[in-house]
Amino acid sequence: MAKKTLVCLHGALGTVEDFTHVANQLNESFDLKLLNFSGHGKGTFWPEQFRIETFAQDLEDFFNQQKLTDVAILGYSMGGYVALYHKSHFENSPITSILTYGTKFNWAEEDVLKEIPKLDPVQIQNKVPHFAEELEHRHGERWKQVLRSTAHMMQNLQKLDGLTHEDLADVSCPVIISRGSEDSMITLNESEKAANHLTNGRYKEFSGARHEFGSIPSEDLIQELKNIIYPQ
């Protein structure tokens, strides 16, 4: 049996390096492809706007360039949101299954206000300098701009590109909405609600895992992907 194409989509502030620790194992079971959204990493062009719509267009362009017609998605955090947005907004989306991990669906103002201070470059340099170094390693000199643009996107996401209940209902392919049981950013409630609005969705919790993608046991992740991509 030919391997199914699996496209991995990174989270906000991330790059394809989000998947480094599990890439070899994923490649054993799937035809693995990785994509950096515009403005992320050192080699991508800077978009006019940091928006979910922009990154969904990046994904559309990638599908067309690679001539992909039957695609599974593993979307971490923002990557999962982009995948669902693409499937609900692009008429001929080639996405046939999606597994999201740590994807936030509640973008109400009070929730966003809790996250914005965490994206202040000065605060990060002063309080978590190792994270500042990691961001500079990933994005080069524009790492501060990535932070500020991400903060702006989050503040306007609900108004501009928020997924509605109707959008989620339009996603007819199989979807697993997953999170770690120890994730302090993504709630069980918002994840279950999103899964319930999907036509063919379900919720999965990875016991003991945190929001960080690397905290999921690789074997458990790959098994869930096989369950949705190669159903018995």
Side-chain angles (χ1 to χ4, degrees):
M1 181 174 63
K3 291 181 180 179
K4 182 73 170 276
T5 299
L6 175 67
V7 177
C8 292
L9 302 178
H10 63 78
L13 310 183
T15 66
V16 295
E17 291 184 38
D18 285 353
F19 305 100
T20 300
H21 70 289
V22 75
N24 289 338
Q25 290 169 275
L26 289 173
N27 214 24
E28 291 175 4
S29 300
F30 313 103
D31 177 17
L32 181 64
K33 297 186 182 296
L34 303 171
L35 167 68
N36 271 339
F37 293 125
S38 53
H40 296 76
K42 296 177 181 177
T44 61
F45 72 92
W46 191 262
E48 289 186 13
Q49 291 182 306
F50 261 50
R51 283 183 56 180
I52 297 299
E53 180 183 56
T54 300
F55 304 140
Q57 185 61 53
D58 289 343
L59 184 57
E60 175 71 5
D61 294 342
F62 184 76
F63 288 154
N64 292 332
Q65 292 161 7
Q66 297 281 324
K67 296 181 171 58
L68 301 177
T69 58
D70 183 4
V71 181
I73 298 287
L74 168 58
Y76 168 49
S77 191
M78 182 184 75
Y81 206 95
V82 171
L84 291 166
Y85 186 95
H86 187 281
K87 185 63 178 176
S88 65
H89 285 74
F90 286 73
E91 185 176 358
N92 297 312
S93 174
I95 298 173
T96 54
S97 58
I98 301 170
L99 189 152
T100 75
Y101 179 76
T103 295
K104 187 166 186 60
F105 294 95
N106 183 6
W107 291 101
E109 183 177 1
E110 60 269 21
D111 290 271
V112 173
L113 289 175
K114 295 176 185 176
E115 300 301 321
I116 295 302
K118 302 176 186 177
L119 299 174
D120 184 333
V122 175
Q123 292 294 325
I124 290 174
Q125 281 183 309
N126 291 338
K127 295 184 177 180
V128 278
H130 65 280
F131 184 41
E133 292 172 4
E134 174 63 21
L135 289 171
E136 185 171 12
H137 164 74
R138 291 194 172 203
H139 305 290
E141 294 180 355
R142 63 186 184 186
W143 70 272
K144 294 180 181 179
Q145 192 175 4
V146 171
L147 282 164
R148 295 188 181 103
S149 296
T150 300
H152 185 266
M153 177 185 70
M154 289 171 60
Q155 287 175 301
N156 294 281
L157 193 151
Q158 186 91 327
K159 178 174 63 178
L160 295 176
D161 299 327
L163 285 169
T164 66
H165 296 165
E166 291 75 20
D167 290 334
L168 292 173
D170 281 342
V171 177
S172 58
C173 68
V175 180
I176 297 174
I177 303 293
S178 73
R179 63 181 281 276
S181 63
E182 306 307 308
D183 193 330
S184 59
M185 178 180 175
I186 314 302
T187 66
L188 169 64
N189 184 52
E190 67 185 291
S191 300
E192 286 188 325
K193 277 187 175 180
N196 289 337
H197 283 295
L198 292 161
T199 301
N200 191 9
R202 67 179 176 88
Y203 172 72
K204 165 67 182 179
E205 186 166 287
F206 290 96
S207 180
R210 305 179 304 280
H211 183 69
E212 294 77 17
F213 185 75
S215 68
I216 318 171
S218 300
E219 296 77 10
D220 294 348
L221 171 67
I222 292 170
Q223 186 56 56
E224 286 300 326
L225 284 167
K226 288 180 177 177
N227 289 344
I228 194 171
I229 294 173
Y230 302 127
Q232 299 299 316

